[in-house]
Amino acid sequence: MSEARFDYVVVGAGTAGCLLANRLSADASKRVLLIEAGGRDNYHWIHIPVGYLYCIDNPRTDWRYRTEPDAGLNGRSLLYPRGKTLGGCSSINGMIYMRGQARDYDAWASATGEDAWRWHNVLPDFMAHESHYSLDDERQICVGQGSKYSGNPTIAKNGNLAPSFHGRSGEWRIEKQRLRWDILDAFADAAVEAGIPRTEDFNRGDNEGVAYFEVNQKAGWRWNASKAFLRPIQSRPNLTVMTSTQVRRLRFARSTERGLHCVGAELIGASGAFSVRAERELILCAGAIGTPQLLQLSGIAPRGLLARHGIEPVHELPGVGANLQDHLQIRAVFKVSGAKTLNTLANSWWGKAAIAWEYAVSRTGPMSMAPSQLGIFTKSRPELAHTNLEFHVQPLSLPAFGQPLHAFPAFTASVCNLNPTSRGSVNIVNGDFKTPPAIAPNYLSTDADRQVAADSLRVARRIAAQPALAKYSPQEFKPGIEFQSDDELARLAGDIATTIFHPVGTAKMGRSDDATAVVDGKLRVHGVRGLRVVDASVMPTITSGNTNSPTLMIAEKAARWIIEESRASSER
């Protein structure tokens, strides 16, 4: 049987892969293959916002990874969700639209030597695919070439020119949430009383402030990358989408003219094993877990790891699987009285029926909820130069994800360290592609992270003690007011903290003289032609916020580079 040939082979139909397939297949002369290990995104719970509860840890939509027992979590192992369906993590995540801070991207530019990663150069890539609700009815005019930002300003209500940080004509829908809660409004007021300013937009480069999160939804439905970027182009004859197909390993050739070159991949599908060839590039979009695993299985990894598992080395890159970073959320729970929370609203069949009816009629209410509704960005200590904490505040509480809600009314103020210094790893445990890798985040493994954990719980307590919340008589349920010292709070954080599902960094970009870098500033794998990585694994440092939309930005930028390089090679 002959080998199927494509110009571009994209591995992983998640957040980045869907956008790449859209952009690359826009050229009808280019044959594009998009490969997804999971199935189609036709499971109804993917599209109902609260359905993440039924998609996470579900083999139909999730890889169902588990971390290694973690010393920083007092020996606990965590559920580590990763999307396994069209749309990837955008089909099961919290739907929060968040870019991070300008300083994140300026740091990437410094680390890679590639000025294209600076904030003012990534902003157009964010805006290129946005459809932001705030611009639905705004008139727009173009910015001149001398503008710092390559976007469109809006005409403000007072007639003045106001720079816009958002796009209106893209595929990625961003909307306000379709509900509010008195207890969350009171918590926002308390945050202001504690010295945290209100904000209208978390996404202008400095996300300090308090506001309800904006979400990737459309009219009360989840808006995933498959809906945004694949469905509109499903009839393109030059695009092939394979689902329920897993890549076993990459294939390489070596020649004196081209050196080491990625030429394709070996796949396993419903009909068995087969291979495909990439004439121009193979692009890995398998995510911060899947990408390093596949590189390692293919012989691109630290030599010692390959030797332990009997894999023939193809090219040694010590950084593959290293540099794992994640946001660890510490779930502080406060009991309240006199407030409506989801705990009490959903504690009866009548209450659940009313919630379902409201969503069926108007696409509003708790079934339209993102997992977190209210956001706060602030500092763990006032002397810091920038915000380093993110709160996800919820009108509910539960012992752990997937468990029933508490019987008493309560809210949860989950807080995470935006810039952790702890580093973990993702490493294969054998040569079988079906075996999950060992995921070792090494949470709270540095003194700095343990200090921020203790300080962040004190910030939650300070907000909860403000007058705006007094009428609800908040009482700390977890971790417990009896714990006060740094050591006690850090240890308790290890007991109650969990991942907020933001793994990045395991195939980081960096300069050629950085021995730990896996890809260069344009995401090409060091030392291998025809192989690029385009997903959250390339982030050298984690962004200061939720990571889904930065991953889309990375894909937008990469698509433009790939197209430009293809045109340049054709002209030679």
Side-chain angles (χ1 to χ4, degrees):
M1 182 176 179
S2 62
E3 182 180 58
R5 292 171 178 258
F6 300 86
D7 292 286
Y8 300 109
V9 174
V10 181
V11 178
T15 299
C18 287
L19 186 146
L20 272 176
N22 180 296
R23 301 298 189 252
L24 298 180
S25 64
D27 181 347
S29 70
K30 300 297 187 292
R31 300 152 298 166
V32 179
L33 171 63
L34 179 63
I35 304 167
E36 171 55 40
R40 306 198 70 83
D41 60 329
N42 54 7
Y43 183 41
H44 67 283
W45 281 119
I46 289 175
H47 307 290
I48 299 172
V50 79
Y52 70 92
L53 292 168
Y54 306 98
C55 292
I56 290 176
D57 206 26
N58 181 340
R60 182 170 180 171
T61 49
D62 183 6
W63 284 94
R64 305 184 70 206
Y65 294 126
R66 300 295 190 276
T67 68
E68 299 296 292
D70 197 298
L73 302 185
N74 304 321
R76 290 188 299 132
S77 174
L78 298 181
L79 175 70
Y80 218 64
R82 297 285 86 196
K84 188 181 182 182
T85 182
L86 288 181
C89 289
S90 74
S91 294
I92 69 171
N93 71 357
M95 296 165 282
I96 293 171
Y97 181 76
M98 189 64 58
R99 292 172 177 167
Q101 297 175 5
R103 65 186 185 87
D104 299 332
Y105 303 102
D106 291 343
W108 290 10
S110 297
T112 62
E114 178 55 68
D115 207 53
W117 293 113
R118 295 202 178 278
W119 168 248
H120 64 272
N121 288 328
V122 302
L123 191 56
D125 296 300
F126 278 111
M127 296 171 65
H129 51 257
E130 284 186 346
S131 171
H132 197 275
Y133 73 92
S134 68
L135 301 181
D136 287 352
D137 299 315
E138 294 277 10
R139 292 177 295 143
Q140 298 210 328
I141 65 172
C142 293
V143 173
Q145 292 297 314
S147 173
K148 180 179 179 182
Y149 299 111
S150 304
N152 290 331
T154 60
I155 304 297
K157 290 184 173 63
N158 61 9
N160 294 327
L161 195 64
S164 170
F165 287 79
H166 295 288
R168 68 180 300 185
S169 58
E171 304 94 336
W172 194 232
R173 184 62 179 169
I174 303 158
E175 295 189 347
K176 284 184 175 182
Q177 295 186 65
R178 300 165 68 87
L179 78 170
R180 54 164 295 279
W181 296 80
D182 288 343
I183 188 65
L184 296 187
D185 291 346
F187 195 90
D189 292 341
V192 173
E193 291 174 340
I196 301 168
R198 295 189 190 275
T199 184
E200 294 183 358
D201 191 349
F202 283 128
N203 290 297
R204 295 192 174 197
D206 178 4
N207 50 18
E208 183 176 17
V210 54
Y212 278 85
F213 288 120
E214 295 173 344
V215 291
N216 294 120
Q217 293 182 8
K218 191 169 186 177
W221 300 99
R222 174 190 289 274
W223 195 246
N224 68 349
S226 175
K227 286 180 183 175
F229 301 105
L230 282 188
R231 292 191 186 182
I233 63 167
Q234 57 190 349
S235 62
R236 287 181 182 172
N238 61 323
L239 174 65
T240 301
V241 179
M242 294 182 181
T243 56
S244 302
T245 303
Q246 193 165 349
V247 177
R248 182 165 62 184
R249 66 174 62 90
L250 308 182
R251 297 173 53 238
F252 302 92
R254 198 185 300 268
S255 67
T256 54
E257 297 85 13
R258 305 190 70 184
L260 183 63
H261 181 229
C262 182
V263 297
E266 297 177 10
L267 285 67
I268 301 290
S271 58
F274 63 103
S275 63
V276 295
R277 188 171 185 88
E279 301 284 9
R280 290 182 176 269
E281 283 195 29
L282 187 142
I283 306 158
L284 284 178
C285 303
I289 308 303
T291 284
Q293 178 189 22
L294 189 50
L295 287 171
Q296 292 167 0
L297 289 170
S298 304
I300 299 179
R303 189 172 295 272
L305 177 69
L306 299 176
R308 285 198 300 275
H309 301 302
I311 297 174
E312 182 179 354
V314 171
H315 181 57
E316 183 170 21
L317 284 177
V320 174
N323 193 49
L324 174 63
Q325 299 159 60
D326 191 12
H327 289 142
L328 182 73
Q329 65 170 347
I330 306 170
R331 298 175 60 86
V333 175
F334 294 84
K335 291 183 177 181
V336 293
S337 59
K340 182 172 70 174
T341 72
L342 194 60
N343 290 14
T344 49
L345 200 61
N347 67 355
S348 67
W349 285 110
W350 286 110
K352 292 174 181 175
I355 290 170
W357 176 253
E358 180 180 2
Y359 185 75
V361 170
S362 61
R363 298 290 179 267
T364 60
M367 287 188 70
S368 73
M369 282 172 51
S372 300
Q373 297 78 50
L374 184 72
I376 297 174
F377 288 84
T378 189
K379 301 173 183 178
S380 60
R381 295 196 172 199
E383 65 270 21
L384 294 178
H386 52 78
T387 58
N388 68 326
L389 298 180
E390 179 181 9
F391 281 86
H392 294 77
V393 192
Q394 307 154 315
L396 56 87
S397 67
L398 64 170
F401 182 85
Q403 295 187 17
L405 298 170
H406 287 130
F408 49 80
F411 67 84
T412 299
S414 295
V415 58
C416 66
N417 177 0
L418 290 172
N419 310 121
T421 55
S422 299
R423 297 291 184 268
S425 62
V426 174
N427 287 317
I428 56 173
V429 296
N430 58 40
D432 187 349
F433 73 98
K434 296 187 295 296
T435 303
I439 304 170
N442 293 335
Y443 295 120
L444 302 176
S445 58
T446 66
D447 291 340
D449 286 359
R450 291 172 63 80
Q451 184 64 59
V452 172
D455 290 342
S456 67
L457 286 168
R458 293 191 179 100
V459 174
R461 287 172 173 174
R462 189 175 80 243
I463 297 172
Q466 298 301 316
L469 277 167
K471 63 182 176 181
Y472 299 120
S473 305
Q475 298 177 14
E476 184 175 321
F477 178 67
K478 280 189 175 183
I481 200 66
E482 66 271 23
F483 303 107
Q484 293 290 333
S485 71
D486 287 350
D487 287 344
E488 286 175 330
L489 290 175
R491 178 176 56 81
L492 266 294
D495 285 338
I496 63 176
T498 186
T499 176
I500 204 166
F501 318 136
H502 297 165
V504 308
T506 49
K508 77 168 191 174
M509 54 180 163
R511 302 170 190 265
S512 59
D513 59 357
D514 180 354
T516 65
V518 177
V519 300
D520 67 12
K522 291 193 172 179
L523 311 182
R524 298 167 296 203
V525 174
H526 284 300
V528 185
R529 293 172 61 97
L531 180 60
R532 203 178 303 240
V533 177
V534 182
D535 57 36
S537 70
V538 304
M539 297 184 189
T541 49
I542 195 168
T543 54
S544 300
N546 309 68
T547 54
N548 187 252
S549 292
T551 301
L552 271 183
M553 178 277 294
I554 291 169
E556 191 79 70
K557 190 175 287 293
R560 191 173 64 256
W561 282 334
I562 293 167
I563 293 167
E564 289 172 354
E565 290 173 18
S566 174
R567 287 173 180 163
S569 66
S570 298
E571 292 170 358
R572 286 198 293 267

